[in-house]
Amino acid sequence: TQLLEQSPQFLSIQEGENLTVYCNSSSVFSSLQWYRQEPGEGPVLLVTVVTGGEVKKLKRLTFQFGDARKDSSLHITAAQPGDTGLYLCAGLDNYGQNFVFGPGTRLSVLP
Amino acid sequence: EAGVTQSPTHLIKTRGQQVTLRCSPISGHTSVYWYQQALGLGLQFLLWYDEGEERNRGNFPPRFSGRQFPNYSSELNVNALELEDSALYLCASSSSGLAGPMYNEQFFGPGTRLTVL
């Protein structure tokens, strides 16, 4: 089973700061997704990246898929309290059979 | 438009009992996915149904089972509950397609919180 690791596990920052969270694996993934989950709710899809080296921007969020398709990063510029939540990465293995989630990074942005 | 709904929201059972969780997908969606989110473990894929058929199954014992009805709603059944089954059970739906969750966006429900004592 291919595994996804995420770091850091927890992150607490002040409003206005920048941050980067990471999603890593020793295996190649055909594509990766990032989700945000708020307390009491299910995860909400933020982005899907499918090409090695791909960079996608969603307002203040920048997502990058590693060249080797084994890792991904999410960078948030000028974080806001509304960015608080659990950030999950999920990937489809190279055989297109197994869809796995990482354990998540819990982000807290303090006003 | 109504989102994915799940019932019940919370459930407390004792070890050895059986439980049934229910999910209603977004109107027009034919695929339903079930996940277990245990504390500190992230989401673990359980089952995927599409058009009434089981398309894929995660690495869970046979006491986890489910089905999808003709109206595309779904049930997850867990027999012989164990303490480690305590978790948030999430259901997601997507539009039809055998391509699966990476190519058809999943929309998640709020989950059912199961506590096994």
Side-chain angles (χ1 to χ4, degrees), chain A residues 30-33 35 37 40-45 48 50 86 88 90-92 97-99 101-103, chain B residues 35 37 40-45 56-57 59 88 90 99 101-111:
Chain A
S30 61
S31 51
L32 275 175
Q33 293 180 329
Y35 292 79
Q37 185 178 18
E41 299 180 8
V44 175
L45 178 66
T48 301
V50 297
L86 179 67
L88 298 158
L92 186 66
Q97 293 295 317
N98 294 308
F99 187 63
F101 276 83
Chain B
Y35 295 89
Q37 188 175 27
L41 291 180
L43 275 76
Q44 306 291 318
F45 168 69
N56 202 358
R57 181 184 177 84
N59 189 25
L88 180 68
L90 290 161
M102 191 57 70
Y103 303 103
N104 298 294
E105 181 178 354
Q106 298 180 87
F107 295 84
F108 283 84

Side-chain angles (χ1 to χ4, degrees), chain B residues 30-31 49-53 55 68 72 96:
Chain B
T30 61
S31 277
Y49 292 97
D50 182 74
E51 297 282 359
E53 299 286 330
R55 298 300 181 188
Q68 186 178 33
Y72 304 116
S96 66

Side-chain angles (χ1 to χ4, degrees), chain B:
Chain B
E1 181 181 305
V4 176
T5 59
Q6 294 186 243
S7 62
T9 54
H10 295 84
L11 205 51
I12 299 176
K13 292 285 188 177
T14 56
R15 199 169 44 182
Q17 285 189 308
Q18 178 267 341
V19 69
T20 297
L21 311 181
R22 294 177 175 83
C23 172
S24 291
I26 291 172
S27 177
H29 286 186
T30 61
S31 277
V32 170
Y33 311 85
W34 286 96
Y35 295 89
Q36 182 195 68
Q37 188 175 27
L39 199 60
L41 291 180
L43 275 76
Q44 306 291 318
F45 168 69
L46 271 164
L47 291 159
W48 168 25
Y49 292 97
D50 182 74
E51 297 282 359
E53 299 286 330
E54 183 179 301
R55 298 300 181 188
N56 202 358
R57 181 184 177 84
N59 189 25
F60 280 83
R63 57 191 186 84
F64 286 84
S65 65
R67 55 180 173 168
Q68 186 178 33
F69 298 98
N71 67 354
Y72 304 116
S73 67
S74 178
E75 284 183 352
L76 173 67
N77 298 292
V78 188
N79 294 321
L81 284 167
E82 300 178 2
L83 297 179
E84 52 265 34
D85 296 335
S86 294
L88 180 68
Y89 288 84
L90 290 161
C91 169
S93 73
S94 72
S95 56
S96 66
L98 297 179
M102 191 57 70
Y103 303 103
N104 298 294
E105 181 178 354
Q106 298 180 87
F107 295 84
F108 283 84
T112 293
R113 172 78 58 190
L114 172 64
T115 301
V116 182
L117 303 176

Side-chain angles (χ1 to χ4, degrees), chain A residues 65-86:
Chain A
F65 199 13
D67 291 341
R69 293 185 292 138
K70 292 183 178 181
D71 56 85
S72 181
S73 64
L74 159 59
H75 180 80
I76 301 179
T77 303
Q80 299 176 359
D83 296 327
T84 293
L86 179 67

Side-chain angles (χ1 to χ4, degrees), chain A:
Chain A
T1 302
Q2 294 176 273
L3 297 176
L4 286 168
E5 298 177 343
Q6 292 189 244
S7 61
Q9 187 177 0
F10 298 97
L11 187 58
S12 182
I13 62 171
Q14 292 295 132
E15 182 176 2
E17 293 184 359
N18 302 330
L19 67 114
T20 303
V21 298
Y22 301 92
C23 175
N24 297 288
S25 176
S26 58
S27 305
V28 174
F29 282 84
S30 61
S31 51
L32 275 175
Q33 293 180 329
W34 284 92
Y35 292 79
R36 180 171 66 222
Q37 185 178 18
E38 299 183 25
E41 299 180 8
V44 175
L45 178 66
L46 296 174
V47 77
T48 301
V49 286
V50 297
T51 305
E54 182 177 3
V55 177
K56 282 192 174 179
K57 292 193 175 184
L58 185 66
K59 297 183 181 177
R60 294 177 293 101
L61 278 61
T62 301
F63 305 85
Q64 185 163 10
F65 199 13
D67 291 341
R69 293 185 292 138
K70 292 183 178 181
D71 56 85
S72 181
S73 64
L74 159 59
H75 180 80
I76 301 179
T77 303
Q80 299 176 359
D83 296 327
T84 293
L86 179 67
Y87 287 82
L88 298 158
C89 65
L92 186 66
D93 70 18
N94 234 11
Y95 302 101
Q97 293 295 317
N98 294 308
F99 187 63
V100 296
F101 276 83
T105 291
R106 192 165 295 281
L107 172 65
S108 178
V109 181
L110 305 174

